[in-house]
Every structure is written in structure tokens, then in C-alpha cells.
Amino acid sequence: MDLVKMDRIDRAWQRHPERFPEKILGDDELRVFKARAARDRSRGVRYLATRFAAKEAFSKAVGLGMRMPMWWTRMQTLNMKGGRPVVVLSGPLAQWYESHFGPAHVSLTDESEYGAAYVVVETRSEAAPHTNISGAQ
């Protein structure tokens, strides 16, 4: 679980309008962010805040914190067609994760002052196949 203040994320984005989103968001998240922020700045802040919180919550759930192979852009929270958020991993993080854990589940929420994410990581069961959450097919 992670909780972040919207104004903290907004200040970081104001200080580094290009660098901050590019450091935090993966390529697919960045495309969504730019579209939302272009329509309404507050939607951009909410998107950044919830994705930041999801990455923090995920890093805690897997016990890595922000050290290799965990890195901001390697864990994305994307939405399926119906809106359900899903974890998508890439690079060395995807390979490491799949050798240690089963499916990951993420829930996001935001209000005017806070964004939050809750991540549940299932244990890996050798008997039951797990969902591939990497970006690779």
C-alpha cells in the first residue's frame, strides 16, 4: 500500500515538467499521461500520483524497494478495456519477478488531496501455472 499527496507530485512535475514523468512512467503510461494532461492538468497530476503510488506499493510488496532489478519504468500500471488496472512488467524486473512470484493485483484510487495504490502479490505455486505479467508475449 502506498499513499501520496497530490501537491507533492504536482510540485515535482512543475519543477521538472519533462524529466519527472519520463523518469517515473513507462512508455505506455507516458502516452496515456500526456493525453490526459493535455486535456486537463489535474487529470495529469492524478495519473502521475496513482502510478507513482502503484510503483512504490509494488516495490514494497516484492521486498525490493527501489533497487535493481526494480526501476520506475519497468513496472507499469495499465488499464484493460473495461478499466481494470493491471501490472505490466518489463526487462530484468519481469524475468526476476516471474521466477519468484505468481500474479500481481493492483487497485488505484484518488481524491482531491491523495492518490493511493494497493498491490497484492501472490506466491508462486509450482503446481499451478501463473499469469505472465511481463510485456512480452
Side-chain angles (χ1 to χ4, degrees):
M1 159 83 187
D2 194 67
L3 180 69
V4 64
K5 289 189 84 169
M6 294 289 180
D7 65 341
R8 175 179 165 223
I9 298 299
D10 192 21
R11 286 192 314 269
W13 184 23
Q14 287 175 23
R15 281 192 309 274
H16 306 286
E18 296 295 322
R19 196 171 70 200
F20 182 66
E22 289 172 358
K23 178 181 179 182
I24 300 302
L25 302 174
D27 291 340
D28 294 325
E29 290 173 319
L30 197 55
R31 277 191 287 282
V32 174
F33 163 74
K34 286 179 178 179
R36 289 185 181 191
R39 285 192 300 269
D40 179 357
R41 180 176 175 78
S42 68
R43 288 189 69 187
V45 171
R46 290 193 311 265
Y47 190 85
L48 271 175
T50 55
R51 272 41 187 195
F52 184 95
K55 293 163 194 287
E56 288 279 340
F58 179 84
S59 72
K60 293 172 191 175
V62 298
L64 287 175
M66 279 301 163
R67 37 178 228 275
M68 294 300 175
M70 180 66 196
W71 187 247
W72 298 104
T73 58
R74 293 180 184 162
M75 183 277 182
Q76 296 187 90
T77 303
L78 304 173
N79 293 88
M80 296 184 71
K81 286 187 180 186
R84 181 173 77 99
V86 294
V87 172
V88 177
L89 304 177
S90 62
L93 178 60
Q95 297 161 350
W96 176 85
Y97 181 88
E98 288 180 10
S99 71
H100 290 83
F101 299 100
H105 310 278
V106 61
S107 180
L108 307 171
T109 189
D110 61 86
E111 289 295 329
S112 59
E113 292 184 46
Y114 296 97
Y118 191 84
V119 173
V120 174
V121 174
E122 294 184 30
T123 58
R124 185 166 188 249
S125 170
E126 295 299 325
H130 68 278
T131 305
N132 179 347
I133 63 169
S134 71
Q137 296 295 326

